[in-house]
Amino acid sequence: QVQLVESGGGSVQAGGSLTLSCAASGFTVSSYCMGWFRQAPGKEREGVARIGFGFTSYADSVKGRFTISQDKAKNTLYLQMNSLKPEDTAVYYCAKRTTWDCNSGSWVWGQGTQVTVSS
């Protein structure tokens, strides 16, 4: 059974850092396209970062500040967030694509973790 469990969210002041973790079970993280998404109050869910075979991609709003990575030994996905801004406040979701190809299939979601950035 596929499970994605996020952790690491919390409250931080602007300019601070947080690292989100997504512990995966029931599949191998490195064999699938994986991503981080976020949803702010009153807004639609948006993609933040993706990682696949030999590539990573980022939303323009987080480029240079956020880094997506994975630990094969721990079967865990990470999102390192630096220079946080109040507009980064949102619920952050870990997601797994149903195929290795980020452009095929659909997303399977974790339960989300809240990130709050105060000015």
Side-chain angles (χ1 to χ4, degrees):
Q1 182 179 357
V2 171
Q3 279 195 316
L4 300 167
V5 180
E6 299 99 331
S7 61
S11 297
V12 65
Q13 289 193 328
S17 298
L18 283 174
T19 299
L20 304 183
S21 301
C22 174
S25 58
F27 72 101
T28 301
V29 164
S30 59
S31 296
Y32 291 85
C33 171
M34 299 290 298
W36 286 97
F37 293 74
R38 67 187 181 186
Q39 188 166 18
K43 295 188 177 181
E44 292 188 355
R45 191 172 299 188
E46 63 174 353
V48 174
R50 295 186 301 173
I51 185 169
F53 290 136
F55 85 94
T56 56
S57 65
Y58 298 90
D60 288 343
S61 59
V62 306
K63 278 181 183 176
R65 300 188 298 121
F66 290 11
T67 303
I68 188 171
S69 64
Q70 56 192 26
D71 185 323
K72 293 180 181 180
K74 295 182 178 180
N75 206 35
T76 298
L77 184 73
Y78 299 98
L79 185 68
Q80 173 67 43
M81 305 185 294
N82 298 325
S83 302
L84 283 161
K85 304 175 181 180
E87 51 263 43
D88 294 319
T89 295
V91 177
Y92 283 72
Y93 297 90
C94 170
K96 166 195 173 295
R97 202 70 178 175
T98 51
T99 77
W100 61 268
D101 183 356
C102 287
N103 296 314
S104 298
S106 58
W107 292 106
V108 177
W109 304 97
Q111 84 286 353
T113 186
Q114 176 71 46
V115 171
T116 303
V117 184
S118 58
S119 57

